[in-house]
Each structure stands twice: as C-alpha cells, then as structure tokens.
Amino acid sequence: MKPSIPKGTRDFGPIETARRNYIFDTIRKGFRLFGYTPIETPAMENLSTLMGKYGEEGDKLLFRILNSGDYLKDVSSEELLQKDSLALTPKISEKGLRYDLTVPFARFVVQNRNDIQLPFKRCQIQPVWRADRPQKGRYREFFQCDADIVGSDSLWNEVELLSLIDEVFKNLKIRVAIKLNNRKILTGIAELIGESNRITDITVAIDKIEKIGVEKVCDELLSKNIPQEAVDKLLPILQLTGSNSDKLSQLAEVLKDSETGLKGVEELKWVVQRFDALGHSSLLDVDVSLARGLNYYTGTIIEVKALDVQIGSITGGGRYDNLTGVFGMPGLSGVGISFGADRIYDVLNQLDLYPASVTESVKVLFLNFGEDEAAEAMKLVKQLRENGVSAELYPDAVKLKKQMAYADALKVPYVAMIGETELKEGKLQLKNMSTGQQQSLSFNDFINDWGKNDI
Amino acid sequence: MKPSIPKGTRDFGPIETARRNYIFDTIRKGFRLFGYTPIETPAMENLSTLMGKYGEEGDKLLFRILNSGDYLKDVSSEELLQKDSLALTPKISEKGLRYDLTVPFARFVVQNRNDIQLPFKRCQIQPVWRADRPQKGRYREFFQCDADIVGSDSLWNEVELLSLIDEVFKNLKIRVAIKLNNRKILTGIAELIGESNRITDITVAIDKIEKIGVEKVCDELLSKNIPQEAVDKLLPILQLTGSNSDKLSQLAEVLKDSETGLKGVEELKWVVQRFDALGHSSLLDVDVSLARGLNYYTGTIIEVKALDVQIGSITGGGRYDNLTGVFGMPGLSGVGISFGADRIYDVLNQLDLYPASVTESVKVLFLNFGEDEAAEAMKLVKQLRENGVSAELYPDAVKLKKQMAYADALKVPYVAMIGETELKEGKLQLKNMSTGQQQSLSFNDFINDWGKNDI
C-alpha cells in the first residue's frame, strides 16, 4: 500500500515546520507584548455549539465526528430507509471539529463567565477545519491566530489591534496596507439609497472600481435592478478620493442625513487619527467597499493586504456587539482580529523573508570514529548543550563520506572530529563547513572558547 | 441554552495555557538542543493509515469523521437495514483523528522517503484523540511530545534519548526515575520457562512484587496455569536485587542459555554504562517487569516515573525494528520516546513547580483618566513595547476602583497613572502593586530608566 493523507491537508517537514513556528512565535510575541492572554479550547465542540453560527453554507462545511460505539442503535429502520444524509446526521453525530476560533471563544466566555475578569483580552493560536473544496491556498486544516477583547466598547481597543497588526507585520518584515471600514457607514449608505438589503451587491460593485472604472460599476448596479436614482446618490461614494481624512469628510457630507452613517464616520475618523498620532509603519486605507462578515460585524471592519504579493487578505477582523448573545449572555461588545498564518506563510515563502537562524540545524555535529572516540565526543556534546549550544553525535561509526553527506544535507555549520590520534592528544579538529577552514583545538579550549572565536 | 464541551475534553484558561506552554517550550528547547527537527502532520488521517495499527481495542477508540455531502448515496438499503454500526462505518467514514504520533510519523517517513536524510531525527508536538472512557487523568484529547530517530540501530541513540529525558525533567525540576528494560530479555525469559505466549501474565505478576511479595506473585502465576517448574525457574528473576549492574549480572546468569536473552542483557548493560559515564541527575532503574507496548518494541524499553507524585508513567518509549514495514518500507530501525505533556502538567500542578514568570501578566497597566490622558499613556505604552516591555492601557475611562480591581485580578506588577495634573507636568505616578510603593517620574525618566531601577 502507498500511504497518503486526506486531500486538503498537509504534512510539514522540518524546514516548513521551523518556518511556521517562526510565524507563530512572532505573532505570540506580539500578543504577549500587548497583554492578550492565551487560551485553548478543544478541537471537538458539540454540534449544538457550532450549528447555525456560520450560515447554511457553513453548517455544510463542518467536519462531523461519528458517535462512538453502536451509533445506529437508536435509529429506526424507517429513518434509515429514507437515505436522507442530512436528516440522519444529527442522529449519528453529536460532535464536530471547530470551524473557527471565534465561536469557541464566545462559548468559552459564557461557560467561564464567573472566572473571567472583564474586559477580557484573549489570544488563541489553534488549527480549524473546514470541509471546503481544496484549492490553491485553501486547506481543510489551517491555523488561526486570534486576538479579541470583550467587555469594552472603547475605540482604544481598535487602535490597539491596529497597532498589534503593525507590530507583527513589522517584525515579519511584510509590508502591508490595513483597510478600514465601519458597518455603520454601510448601514448609512443603505439608508441613503433606500436599498438596505442590497448592501452586498453594492459593496461588491464598489470593490471593482479600480479594475473596471466608475461607469461600468454604475452599469452593473443598474443591471442588478438598483434604481438610477439610488445609483446617482451613490456616485459620490464611488468616487471618494484623496487622503483618509478627505474621504471621511466627503463621506460625512454624503451621509449627513443618516445618524448611523455619521456615527460610523465619526468612529472611523477617531480610530484613524489616534492610530496615526502614535506613528506606525503600516498605512491605513479607508475603504467603504470592505464588508467582510457583514452580518457579524457591527462597527469597525479591518482587513490587511500584503503590498508585495498578490494574495487575499492575510488578516482580518472587526467589532461585534452581540457575539455571546446566542449563548445566553447578551450585551457584551467585543472586537478582534485573526491572523491568517497559512497565508502569511505563503507570503513569507514567496518573498523569502525568513531569518537564516529559523532553519538552522544543530551547531556542531561530532563525527563517529568508533566507540571510545564517540564516548569522548559525547562528553563534549553534553558540555556544549549545558552551555546552550545544540550539538549531536553521528550515531553510527560508518564511512566518513556518509557522515559528511549527512552534515551537508542538514547544513550543519560546524563538524567536529575526534579520531584515534585526537583522542590520545585530547584534541579535536573543528571544521567550519561554509568556509572549509579547519583547526585543531584542545577539548578545554573548544568548550571554553566556543562562541568567542568561531572560526 | 447552556453551553458545554464534549466530555473528556478541556478548556484551558489563561493561567492553564501559560503553564502548559511552559511545559511545551521546555520540551521543545530540549528537542532543539539535541538536534531533533520538528515536523507536523494533519489531525485527520485516512482510516487505511490508522486501522489495524493499535490492535482491535485501538480501532474502536479511533474518532471517525463522517464523510462530507450525501454520504448515504452509495449505501444500499439492505446494508442500512442490517443496522450494523461496525459494518456501516467504512462506508460512511474514510478519515479518522490521529490516535498517536508514531503511526503518522511512520506514514510520513514512507511518504517522504525521497526527501528525508537518514538517520532522521524528528520531534513532533501535537494533540491526539482517543474515544476512551474519560476518567481522572485520562482525556479524549491530549498532547504527545515525541522524539524519534529512524535509520540507525546504534545504541548511542538510546543514550541520547535518556539524556534528553534527563535534560527535560531537570529543567522542569521534576525528580524522576527512568525504568529500563529490553524486549530481548523478555523473549529470553519466555524461552527459559517455555511459555513464550504468557509474557504479559508474567510481567504483570512481576510488577506486583513490591506490593504483594514474591510468595503471592508465585501463587498468582500458578493460578494462571503457569507450571510449577516454570515458576521455579522464574524465581531468581522475581528476586533480582542490588544495583543495576548486580541485576544485570544475575540476569546474565539466569538467561545464560538464551542467546536472545543475553543479547538483551548486553544491550541494556551498554546503555546503562554509557549513560552513567556521562553524569546525569536522573536515576536509571533496570526493571524486567517493564513491558509497555510489547508487540511493538523489539529492543530497549523506557518508562519514566515521577518520584514525588503518585501518577502513572509520564514519559515512555523504546526501540522498534519494523515500524515502517506496514507502509511498505521494511528494515528501518527506530527508537523514540513520548513525553506525556498532560501528565507532566498534573505533576507540575501538584508540586507547584512553575517559575513565577510563567503566569506573569503585562508588566505595566496604564489607568485611563480620559481621552487626552489616555492618548499620552498610549505613547508611553508604545515606547515600552518597543523596548520589549509588555504594557497596556485600560480601555475605558471608568471609575478608578473598577480599573484597580482589574489590575488586582490580573496581578499586574506595576500600575502607571497619568491624570490631568500629571499630563500638564509631563509626569506619571508609578505604583508597585506588591509593595504599594508609589513614585513620581517624568515620562523620559520612566522610559529611559525602566528596568534599571524598578521600584
């Protein structure tokens, strides 16, 4: 049999895992610096927790766990004979794999409400699973790295999350633009043109302006039965230009009759000003076409794009006013972001932005010249490790050619050799594998001077 | 609805997660120091990969994923009407959650054989799932932390793994005894008494000696239909005493007619001597009752016990000569260990061995006295973070009592205050929360001297 893994899933070898850990570590460092404390939730959640939270399409994409034991016991023959997969599922499956980290977080907050100090700043780095059709850049198992704060409606939280985005991508050396919108502005636009249930069509159209131009966007809106009058009212919004502050002034003018719309403009303006006042590397870009998770967010909407790679959003988030309501705890406002580690990985791979240290092997490999020599080498290996230097002995006393091939394949920076002569003299040969330079050192000098005068 | 999680699974809050990360980080640091490179495999494996690898009982404990879409489509009404859960399962489920990290590792090695440099030293830290009956200390989702080397039959690998165990538990400050055995010794014993298929009964009995004494163990063996003659031959093995070297001498004497048995004694002796010669803190304990995963291991068997807590083994492993054979790649010898992170967590909790730094919150919390004051505080928060000091602003300008309660709950070591007066004077009040001491500092002094003269 030829072994394989399920489609849409991946194995990660040593170099890939080291690179991914670099991404997770960088994000984790950011979380810690900003005071987000980590939690973890189980991979499996009760289906009652997951169902109905991601829309009808989302329910279909849940991976379901077959009940253990004799799961058909309580299913009637009639039910079975209907051969209705959808109807049978709840009878033979009670659990599913988590689909994101947000719903489990909401469940966690409600379940542990008595132990949680509000406002609660939490971060969470764990895999999620979706039975999506696998395609380039879309996997059935992937990691999310979330930071949320619940129990505070202060806009400083938005500023903090934007700063965190800036911090993480600065450390990863990825140049990004952070797109910003506010759900209340979208509501205002809907009020303005009297088409509140057409917001999706409208934002999709606005999003195409750069590609196809204002005229064609208007044609598209008309073809979708949005009245000429509404399109006329939309025109200034389609043509927002200038700086963020310019755009926001224009928006305020257009939305002057919508209380909600103006509130959205005010919020956005405050966040942009406060973020800019602190001085960051990332650019903010007010973008009224941004509408991700429309039914979910109630205020700020955030999306991050890499500037130097053509790829979807690499981080996103926003404010939601009633996330925990569905679990019986209403009135808790929250705002959060999710770093898409797998897309960030794709970006770093394309730009090759990993520090060299990330995929470094052990520092020193001792070749194996036989039992007594190896025993001596192991003593030095142990001493190096006690000094925090990674080291290993090639386990078998095989031909040197084979041992050196191993050193080359692993890109070991230093190879140490203790043969019969060296053993007698208490010395070793140390070879710098990148320069080819070799020097003879006493065991003592080797241990004591390591790192002081690398050859 | 009251939310809950599936039985046998756990939520980990901020403190628990920080503590667990400390364990994972310590193990990961050991892996890196010893040259084990990390890999990751998918949570879901094809059932063809998993089935038949863990015995009949293990197959039953696999969590199975229900196929997506109309999974009943190709199932006949006849098959359904039989209501045979076991028989239906393979027709509606193709994937399962991994049960351990060893089988996925073997699958990985075979699948990626062309990209792997042998000997291959890999480590892997990921959760596994078992549909076991939940009970104290046994969970349905738990982490394994494995280190294996395949493609080398050198016993130096055993010495290395024992050193790694010593390193990790030394760093975790857990005192341990490492129990050692060798499958070949068990084979020798079976040969000696002519009861090769009774090894399990025999090792279970031997294991009870300390508790119930030699006499009762002999009674038990007889009651299990092991002949008196065989029990007589076993007696010297039941009564091994003294140092490891003493025990090994006695074993060599008893097993002098079994070539395999003597080979096992020789191997064990070599490993013990080499380990001891390097000087370690952990004690080795030769224990012929050790038989974990009997059908699996072919040489060294390792198990680690905590000395100061009553709990099952917290780490275990051994050598297997044909792990990848089942996937079509025979003849690859391997040896590995698995740190049981969840049991280690229980031990550390009982002994309260965590360094204080593990659960530290942000270093400095700035209280929020209003918009302008908060804006100034945020500038300082940003500067602290740029210096690597974690800090945050309380997001809402609510009553100070509430803000201080938050600081207390999170055990924040320093609280910084910039009120109206301080803002005018360019100063802040810094309060040491453990001593209660408070001092006034200029913004500049605060940033520049932070860490130099903590109050």
Side-chain angles (χ1 to χ4, degrees), chain B residues 144-204:
Chain B
Q144 291 192 333
C145 311
D146 284 19
D148 288 78
I149 173 164
V150 291
S152 163
D153 52 14
S154 162
L155 291 173
W156 282 117
N157 297 309
E158 270 86 340
V159 176
E160 277 286 78
L161 288 169
L162 295 173
S163 294
L164 174 61
I165 289 170
D166 182 72
E167 168 79 16
V168 166
F169 288 111
K170 191 183 70 196
N171 290 336
L172 290 173
K173 301 193 175 24
I174 299 177
R175 297 195 316 130
V176 298
I178 307 176
K179 297 195 169 201
L180 271 191
N181 197 6
N182 192 301
R183 173 69 166 95
K184 298 188 178 87
I185 291 176
L186 296 175
T187 307
I189 294 174
E191 283 177 15
L192 171 73
I193 61 171
E195 298 279 339
S196 53
N197 50 358
R198 306 300 297 280
I199 276 291
T200 305
D201 286 337
I202 292 165
T203 52
V204 166

Side-chain angles (χ1 to χ4, degrees), chain B residues 180-233:
Chain B
L180 271 191
N181 197 6
N182 192 301
R183 173 69 166 95
K184 298 188 178 87
I185 291 176
L186 296 175
T187 307
I189 294 174
E191 283 177 15
L192 171 73
I193 61 171
E195 298 279 339
S196 53
N197 50 358
R198 306 300 297 280
I199 276 291
T200 305
D201 286 337
I202 292 165
T203 52
V204 166
I206 298 176
D207 195 36
K208 291 184 186 162
I209 286 185
E210 270 182 39
K211 268 196 209 146
I212 62 175
V214 173
E215 210 166 318
K216 284 193 178 154
V217 166
C218 290
D219 291 348
E220 183 172 320
L221 288 169
L222 292 169
S223 78
K224 286 188 173 164
N225 294 324
I226 302 218
Q228 182 70 50
E229 198 197 339
V231 173
D232 288 347
K233 280 187 185 160

Side-chain angles (χ1 to χ4, degrees), chain B residues 30-301:
Chain B
F31 287 165
R32 189 166 43 228
L33 209 51
F34 280 64
Y36 294 88
T37 52
I39 71 162
E40 296 202 345
T41 62
M44 295 185 282
E45 293 273 356
N46 292 322
L47 281 175
S48 54
T49 298
L50 301 176
M51 295 285 286
K53 311 299 188 301
Y54 307 106
E56 209 174 310
E57 198 49 38
D59 284 352
K60 280 188 200 149
L61 299 184
L62 293 173
F63 277 112
R64 291 169 167 83
I65 310 282
L66 198 56
N67 291 345
S68 297
D70 186 7
Y71 54 88
L72 291 176
K73 202 177 50 182
D74 297 326
V75 185
S76 72
S77 302
E78 271 172 16
E79 285 168 316
L80 283 173
L81 277 181
Q82 281 168 12
K83 288 184 77 170
D84 183 342
S85 297
L86 211 60
L88 185 65
T89 302
K91 298 183 196 303
I92 63 174
S93 166
E94 280 166 9
K95 293 184 286 284
L97 295 180
R98 69 177 159 245
Y99 179 90
D100 71 358
L101 301 180
T102 308
V103 167
F105 171 52
R107 195 263 313 139
F108 176 93
V109 168
V110 177
Q111 201 173 326
N112 299 281
R113 59 207 295 173
N114 296 326
D115 304 322
I116 285 174
Q117 176 69 31
L118 293 179
F120 181 42
K121 289 169 79 172
R122 89 87 171 76
C123 60
Q124 190 170 355
I125 300 182
Q126 292 191 282
V128 302
W129 294 270
R130 296 182 187 179
D132 242 326
R133 250 167 81 106
Q135 52 179 266
K136 192 176 177 304
R138 191 194 284 168
Y139 308 103
R140 292 187 150 186
E141 173 178 48
F142 58 98
F143 267 80
Q144 291 192 333
C145 311
D146 284 19
D148 288 78
I149 173 164
V150 291
S152 163
D153 52 14
S154 162
L155 291 173
W156 282 117
N157 297 309
E158 270 86 340
V159 176
E160 277 286 78
L161 288 169
L162 295 173
S163 294
L164 174 61
I165 289 170
D166 182 72
E167 168 79 16
V168 166
F169 288 111
K170 191 183 70 196
N171 290 336
L172 290 173
K173 301 193 175 24
I174 299 177
R175 297 195 316 130
V176 298
I178 307 176
K179 297 195 169 201
L180 271 191
N181 197 6
N182 192 301
R183 173 69 166 95
K184 298 188 178 87
I185 291 176
L186 296 175
T187 307
I189 294 174
E191 283 177 15
L192 171 73
I193 61 171
E195 298 279 339
S196 53
N197 50 358
R198 306 300 297 280
I199 276 291
T200 305
D201 286 337
I202 292 165
T203 52
V204 166
I206 298 176
D207 195 36
K208 291 184 186 162
I209 286 185
E210 270 182 39
K211 268 196 209 146
I212 62 175
V214 173
E215 210 166 318
K216 284 193 178 154
V217 166
C218 290
D219 291 348
E220 183 172 320
L221 288 169
L222 292 169
S223 78
K224 286 188 173 164
N225 294 324
I226 302 218
Q228 182 70 50
E229 198 197 339
V231 173
D232 288 347
K233 280 187 185 160
L234 260 180
L235 214 54
I237 290 170
L238 301 180
Q239 292 171 314
L240 291 179
T241 52
S243 67
N244 288 329
S245 140
D246 292 342
K247 288 188 203 167
L248 288 165
S249 305
Q250 295 163 55
L251 270 175
E253 178 56 28
V254 181
L255 297 174
K256 60 178 182 295
D257 295 329
S258 162
E259 198 186 326
T260 307
L262 283 181
K263 183 90 191 330
V265 174
E266 273 314 299
E267 288 184 7
L268 207 42
K269 197 167 159 187
W270 195 93
V271 169
V272 169
Q273 281 178 351
R274 288 302 178 194
F275 179 82
D276 286 344
L278 289 170
H280 291 91
S281 348
S282 311
L283 288 178
L284 290 191
D285 177 18
V286 168
D287 180 351
V288 293
S289 74
L290 187 62
R292 37 182 303 135
L294 189 65
N295 296 315
Y296 185 80
Y297 295 126
T298 51
T300 307
I301 305 173

Side-chain angles (χ1 to χ4, degrees), chain A residues 5 9-25 28 125-129 141-144 341-342 345, chain B residues 24 28 31 37-45 98 100-101 104-109 111-112 120-127 129 143-144 146:
Chain A
I5 49 176
T9 69
R10 292 162 292 171
D11 277 331
F12 298 107
I15 294 200
E16 293 159 308
T17 305
R19 289 178 164 184
R20 291 170 63 84
N21 284 343
Y22 162 69
I23 296 171
F24 295 131
D25 289 345
R28 199 175 285 123
I125 300 182
Q126 290 191 286
V128 302
W129 294 269
E141 174 178 48
F142 58 96
F143 268 80
Q144 291 192 332
D342 287 80
Y345 174 64
Chain B
F24 294 131
R28 198 173 287 124
F31 287 165
T37 52
I39 71 162
E40 296 202 345
T41 62
M44 295 185 282
E45 293 273 356
R98 69 177 159 245
D100 71 358
L101 301 180
F105 171 52
R107 195 263 313 139
F108 176 93
V109 168
Q111 201 173 326
N112 299 281
F120 181 42
K121 289 169 79 172
R122 89 87 171 76
C123 60
Q124 190 170 355
I125 300 182
Q126 292 191 282
W129 294 270
F143 267 80
Q144 291 192 333
D146 284 19

Side-chain angles (χ1 to χ4, degrees), chain A residues 153-190:
Chain A
D153 52 16
S154 161
L155 290 174
W156 282 115
N157 297 309
E158 270 87 338
V159 175
E160 276 287 76
L161 289 169
L162 295 174
S163 294
L164 174 60
I165 290 171
D166 181 70
E167 169 78 15
V168 166
F169 288 111
K170 190 182 69 195
N171 290 336
L172 290 173
K173 304 198 177 10
I174 298 177
R175 299 196 313 130
V176 298
I178 307 176
K179 297 193 167 203
L180 271 190
N181 197 6
N182 192 301
R183 175 68 166 96
K184 298 188 180 87
I185 292 177
L186 295 176
T187 306
I189 293 174

Side-chain angles (χ1 to χ4, degrees), chain A residues 332-364:
Chain A
L332 208 56
S333 186
V335 55
I337 54 170
S338 182
F339 289 92
D342 287 80
R343 286 219 177 133
I344 293 171
Y345 174 64
D346 289 344
V347 169
L348 284 181
N349 283 343
Q350 281 191 49
L351 301 178
D352 196 16
L353 288 178
Y354 299 100
S357 62
V358 165
T359 48
E360 232 166 45
S361 74
V362 285
K363 280 271 185 207
V364 191

